[in-house]
Amino acid sequence: MKSNGLIVISKKEFRDHIKSKKFLIIFSIIMIATITGMVGGAVDYNKQIQNYAEQMAVSEDTSMFSSYWWTKPSVMTIFNNVGTIVASLGAILGIAMGFDLITREKESKSLKILLSHPIYRDEVINGKAIGGTFALILALIITFVISMALLLIFSIVPDITEVQYILLFGISAFLMIFSYFAISLFMSTVAENSGNALIYTLIIFIVLTGLFPMLISGSIITVLAGDAPEPPDTLIMRSYSTAYVSASVTVSDSGEISEKSESDPYDTEEWRNYEEESMKYWQKRQAISDFFNLLSPTNNFQYISSYLTYPQMYKNMYISNSIFVEDGADEPEKTSIFDVLGDLMKNIIALIAFPIVFFGLAYVKFMRMDVR
Amino acid sequence: MIEIKNLVKEYNGIRAVDNLCLNIDGGEIYGLLGPNGAGKSTTILMLTGLIMPTSGECLIDGTEVSKNPIEVKKKIGYMPEDVGFYSNLSAYENLEYFARLYGIPEKELQDRTDELLKQVGLYGVEKTVGGYSKGMRQRLGIAKAQLNDPSIIILDEPTANLDPQGVADYRSIIKQIAKLDKTVLVSSHILSEISKVSTKIGILQKGRLIREGTWEELSSDIENKDLPEIRINVETKVPMPQFNHPEIISADYKNDDKTAAIVAKSDIRDEISGILYKNNVILKNLSLDATTLEDAILTYYSEEVPEL
Ligand SMILES: Nc1ncnc2c1ncn2[C@@H]1O[C@H](COP(=O)(O)OP(=O)(O)OP(=O)(O)O)[C@@H](O)[C@H]1O
Ligand SMILES: [Mg+2]
């Protein structure tokens, strides 16, 4: 027999959030940033579309080059425009919503009186999570509706794939913000007061958004992955760069990829060994960088946002990473949502795992907390 | 009915509550008296299921608290010491929230809340609790403790921050509650707060119950002891004569000599009543000052904690 505590607490928490000044202020800033970002993005997008239409009209002859560069611009470019702002402001919103949820109860001495009611302790922490979730969902729905209205004002009508992309973008934004909410809620159960909870959360936020990108781009990754394998002595550096990067991946007009191996001189045992080792090395490097990316909800969200904007580009990058994809693998014009989900699976799982882990920690800590 | 059996609570190996046994019958107003750190709040927290005992058990109407805290919490109205509420909500909104947690039906909720707010003098106060004084919060706490119409009310230091009017209000509330045949447990380190309303008093010292009894029993304990100073209050219908007794250290006459506060070396109440009788002065009140008694009881017992 459960008590009715969960519903009552969730409702109160939800109401507290949407009435709180910090929530309203940060949400307003996000709204303003989104609207300005989207208006700018929409204007650019309409220009690009116009250019694209002109280009299509002019060059009916379909050279590979032109079709590669003149793919129809995606509506997602508009969203990607606001992605960076959403990433940082959203994280702040999540932090602001969570960091004092438990410490404030301790500070105002209301926790003891709350727990003296016929409710289970987990209903308190779950209710806080649910209330926060609904407040976030409400904020995102409002943002989504306004975004859609803006698109329509600029007479941009996204097609079904684009709508799916936009939804995925929104869900990722939610998960990213929710991750920071979970981190700060956890800190609120650990810290002795709200001030400390906020400091701890900000430290984690800075590590996740500032330190990890540094690790990814910096020399630290080289330390972790080791040095790149040396090309065979017999070959000169110039050939190394052209051959290795296999820059000759192109998408033909029909969407086919062809890879031209330009070189007989490289067709030696030694070279193939090197090529293989090199591949392994760069894959390892990529894996390390991907791993760090997954650990940061912000980076993860930004990756998803960019991917959704330029799925073809990411697909190609992916292919060039694994050189041994068969020639002429099909590359459809529009990457379907399932392909996208397949590619982004790791990122999405990480974004889901993050809040689950931190919420789990907060739960365990809260259940054991001394009420005095 | 409250039963506490061999209750122990240790913090880092130190016993805050030490093998406590206590029974409180239904309808009783029990005063738990003890100096700071005696273990009053710790005992109450275990009774209300907010902390787990190290060993021993608490039974509320036969239900063991640590085994079935939810059932017990439904029966108890509790006001913690240093009580706090949601500072962004008004008194009404706070009680409304708690009433919902108790599952009080929405249609009864408003009447119940209004009635209690009237009782503690907070009805119609619109401002949020964040702007309340400590005393106002405590009044709200007393209202909150009755919200679920509990059969057992537990108040931890309910008068700690109340002004004289607040204390008087509190006493009349307790008397009203007593008429409803509820069991009340009140803790305090001030004897006078407890003595006036309690049907029974337990003295807690270093986590142990060292003496239990009615107010009369406890005061008779020390009546014949040598105490450094005794304060006696005298009240008469007509002006009284100035006392002249070797035991009197000082005497302060007020109210046209109809009241006097006398400080004496010993309890000379019999002598005083004799003098008044000889002078044909009708006596209204002749009592030992409660603060004196409280000091006396506490010093008396703190010196004589029996080793178990
Ligand atoms: N969380 C804790 N950790 C360690 N010791 C504690 C803790 N809580 C209470 N104590 C100790 O337990 C003892 C009893 O404390 P308690 O609060 O029950 O006393 P009290 O009788 O309510 O005193 P007061 O009149 O000051 O409220 C004290 O010595 C206190 O230091
Ligand atoms: Mg106490």
Side-chain angles (χ1 to χ4, degrees), chain A residues 370 372, chain B residues 11-12 16 35-42 81 157 189:
Chain A
D370 190 5
R372 298 194 71 141
Chain B
Y11 287 111
N12 312 317
N36 294 135
K40 305 181 292 289
S41 300
T42 310
E81 69 180 328
E157 310 243 11
H189 58 272

Side-chain angles (χ1 to χ4, degrees), chain A residues 170-214:
Chain A
I171 291 168
S172 312
F174 168 76
L175 289 172
M176 186 270 297
I177 300 174
F178 195 57
S179 301
Y180 283 104
F181 175 71
I183 293 173
S184 60
L185 179 61
F186 168 63
M187 288 306 167
S188 191
T189 60
V190 176
E192 46 277 29
N193 59 52
S194 303
N196 285 359
L198 183 58
I199 297 288
Y200 298 158
T201 317
L202 286 179
I203 290 172
I204 296 220
F205 173 63
I206 288 165
V207 166
L208 293 183
T209 54
L211 207 60
F212 280 179
M214 218 171 75

